[in-house]
């Protein structure tokens, strides 16, 4: 496994902002560290590290957490991220709801709220997002003047493409400058990504993908998306639409269909509706699974068969350390799906020196993309290694 070393610091005075990111990123990744250890790991001088730590303490982003004896000499003061030093807002726009989360600098959720939608037009969503931000901040007063910014995630594709108008697309957003619209509504900087990319970021910063440099995250939203992280950086594509694998054709007993029509929230809802069963929300799906509902179990079999055709292709094209599955789907259904997926031995991923399973269920749960939206902001503050541009 090829690992990418920590991003080095730069001693030039003009690199102050970069070096702050480097120090924060090192501590976030490795836990509490002292000045000497930070100097060794970043290549910065001890004096430069001391100056940066002093600045970050003044800004409330770092805090001392006790001294530790390392080798000879006096105990060295250790520093850690101050969770209450800054906050990030995450907003996820789905076809049927807006979900918001407020995270502290340590990545812990401080407040969440869900707003149901019947209309996804910009003129409906933008005012709702503005009021949602106000309520989340009101519920966490300490975040009022410490908000770093907001992350916004929504289903792709972004812009007018050959996939526009697909079942998971948000009506009315094709010709809208999404970032400008939300920066105006939220009165501040906004990082925009599709939901699968944000979900991958959440797992990278606080889930099973911590420490994993190259992986794929298959995200079950209304449709089906793929977040790709290579050497610690998101792969977004030229226009932010990398990973739109839902339109890949697969063979089913009923003939060729797209993967998204076999394995997504929209797909399971349609399947259950044909059986005369409700399936519009996650709780209903969880109840059907607990009851052993034959229609749902049959859909899981079909979705697993479709994914078994596509995932080996992803492995051979991308060569990931692991692939994670998760999103707005009950964990027990995703686990059952993973148990039924067949991965062939004829794959670059079938190798004896693997450190991680080829396929895993993500650990960040139903709010993965919402948490990932806020994680876009936090990663920008904590590490210079992430590429966040759509």
């Amino acid at each position: 496994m090829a690992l990418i070393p920590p991003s080095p610091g730069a001693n030039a005075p003009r690199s102050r902002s970069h070096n702050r990111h480097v120090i924060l990123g090192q501590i976030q990744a490795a836990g509490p560290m002292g000045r000497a250890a930070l100097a060794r790991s970043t290549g910065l001088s001890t004096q430069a590290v001391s100056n940066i730590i002093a600045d970050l303490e003044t800004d409330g982003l770092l805090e001392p957490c006790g001294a530790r004896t390392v080798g000879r000499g006096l105990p060295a003061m250790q520093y850690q991220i101050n969770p209450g030093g800054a906050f990030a807002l995450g907003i996820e726009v789905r076809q049927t709801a807006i979900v918001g989360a407020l995270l502290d600098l340590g990545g812990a959720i401080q407040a969440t709220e869900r707003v149901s939608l019947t209309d996804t037009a910009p003129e409906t969503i933008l005012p709702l997002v503005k009021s949602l931000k106000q309520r989340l901040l009101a519920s966490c007063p300490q975040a009022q003047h410490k908000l770093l910014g907001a992350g916004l995630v929504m289903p792709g594709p972004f812009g007018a493409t050959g996939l526009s108008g697909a079942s998971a697309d948000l009506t009315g957003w094709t010709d809208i400058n999404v970032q400008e619209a939300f920066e105006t509504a939220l009165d501040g900087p906004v990082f925009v990504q599709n939901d699968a990319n944000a979900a991958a970021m959440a797992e990278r910063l606080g889930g099973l993908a911590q420490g994993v440099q190259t992986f794929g995250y298959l995200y079950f939203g209304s449709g089906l998306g793929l977040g790709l992280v290579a050497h610690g950086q998101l792969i977004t594509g030229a226009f932010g639409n990398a990973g739109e694998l839902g339109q890949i054709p697969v063979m089913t007993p009923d003939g060729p269909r797209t993967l998204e029509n076999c394995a997504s929230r929209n797909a399971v809802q349609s399947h259950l509706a044909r059986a005369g069963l409700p399936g519009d929300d996650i709780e209903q799906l969880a109840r059907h699974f607990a009851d052993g509902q034959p229609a749902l179990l049959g859909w899981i079999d079909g979705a697993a068969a479709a994914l078994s055709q596509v995932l080996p292709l992803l492995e051979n094209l991308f060569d990931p350390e692991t692939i994670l599955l998760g999103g707005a789907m009950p964990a027990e259904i995703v686990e059952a799906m993973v148990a039924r997926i067949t991965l062939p031995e004829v794959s670059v991923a079938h190798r004896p020196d693997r450190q991680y399973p080829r396929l895993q269920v993500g650990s960040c749960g139903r709010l993965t993309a919402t948490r990932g939206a806020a994680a876009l902001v936090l990663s920008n503050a904590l590490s210079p290694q992430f590429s966040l541009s759509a």
Side-chain angles (χ1 to χ4, degrees):
M1 180 179 64
L3 295 179
I4 302 301
S7 180
N11 287 303
R14 66 178 180 274
S15 301
R16 178 177 177 272
S17 177
H18 172 82
N19 289 339
R20 284 167 59 96
H21 284 71
V22 168
I23 295 298
L24 287 169
Q26 283 290 97
I27 294 175
Q28 191 273 335
M33 298 180 71
R35 291 181 176 88
L38 284 165
R40 287 192 298 269
S41 64
T42 63
L44 290 166
S45 68
T46 304
Q47 184 59 55
V49 169
S50 296
N51 292 339
I52 294 166
I53 287 177
D55 286 346
L56 292 172
E57 275 195 277
T58 299
D59 293 343
L61 302 180
L62 283 185
E63 61 183 5
C65 58
R68 185 164 72 100
T69 301
V70 180
R72 299 178 180 178
L74 295 173
M77 180 59 68
Q78 305 293 294
Y79 295 88
Q80 66 184 10
I81 299 293
N82 175 16
F87 296 81
L89 177 67
I91 301 288
E92 179 187 2
V93 180
R94 303 174 182 172
Q95 282 187 322
T96 58
I98 302 171
V99 185
L102 189 66
L103 271 61
D104 65 26
L105 192 59
I109 294 179
Q110 299 300 311
T112 63
E113 185 176 336
R114 183 182 187 276
V115 179
S116 296
L117 285 177
T118 56
D119 175 16
T120 62
E123 56 268 24
T124 299
I125 287 178
L126 292 172
L128 290 176
V129 166
K130 181 177 181 178
S131 59
L132 176 59
K133 172 189 174 181
Q134 294 169 346
R135 290 194 299 276
L136 288 172
L137 288 176
S139 69
C140 185
Q142 64 268 36
Q144 291 279 357
H145 303 293
K146 297 181 180 180
L147 190 66
L148 295 173
L152 183 281
V153 302
M154 56 201 310
F158 292 140
T161 74
L163 302 182
S164 297
S167 60
D169 203 5
L170 289 181
T171 304
W173 289 90
T174 301
D175 299 320
I176 297 290
N177 186 316
V178 175
Q179 182 164 345
E180 287 185 2
F182 279 96
E183 285 185 339
T184 299
L186 296 175
D187 190 28
V190 174
F191 294 96
V192 178
Q193 282 290 352
N194 65 44
D195 45 13
N197 283 345
M201 183 67 75
E203 289 287 350
R204 178 73 168 83
L205 292 182
L208 284 183
Q210 292 182 83
V212 183
Q213 294 293 324
T214 299
F215 68 96
Y217 187 98
L218 198 64
Y219 179 75
F220 293 97
S222 299
L224 187 70
L226 174 67
L228 296 170
V229 174
H231 304 306
Q233 294 189 341
L234 280 172
I235 297 177
T236 59
F239 303 101
N241 292 320
E244 286 290 338
L245 84 171
Q247 301 305 309
I248 292 177
V250 295
M251 291 303 301
T252 75
D254 298 322
R257 301 176 66 189
T258 66
L259 178 62
E260 193 170 88
N261 284 334
C262 299
S264 66
R265 283 281 302 280
N266 283 346
V268 68
Q269 289 168 6
S270 297
H271 184 87
L272 292 175
R274 289 192 292 271
L277 296 169
D280 292 339
D281 61 53
I282 292 177
E283 285 70 26
Q284 286 175 332
L285 294 177
R287 286 194 295 271
H288 289 326
F289 184 81
D291 294 340
Q293 176 54 244
L296 176 60
L297 298 181
W299 176 82
I300 292 174
D301 287 338
L307 288 166
S308 296
Q309 298 176 51
V310 174
L311 291 182
L313 174 64
L314 174 61
E315 286 184 329
N316 286 318
L317 285 175
F318 183 53
D319 192 21
E321 295 173 74
T322 187
I323 298 173
L324 303 176
L325 276 69
M329 187 80 76
E332 54 267 40
I333 291 180
V334 181
E335 290 167 0
M337 203 179 301
V338 167
R340 291 164 170 78
I341 291 172
T342 301
L343 296 177
E345 293 186 0
V346 183
S347 168
V348 298
H350 182 66
R351 51 188 301 148
D353 59 346
R354 293 194 63 83
Q355 183 176 353
Y356 306 102
R358 290 167 68 178
L359 194 61
Q360 303 183 73
V361 179
S363 64
C364 287
R366 303 174 187 178
L367 290 178
T368 301
T370 313
R371 293 183 63 172
L376 295 171
V377 182
L378 296 180
S379 66
N380 186 65
L382 294 173
S383 174
Q385 293 187 35
F386 286 101
S387 174
L388 299 176
S389 299

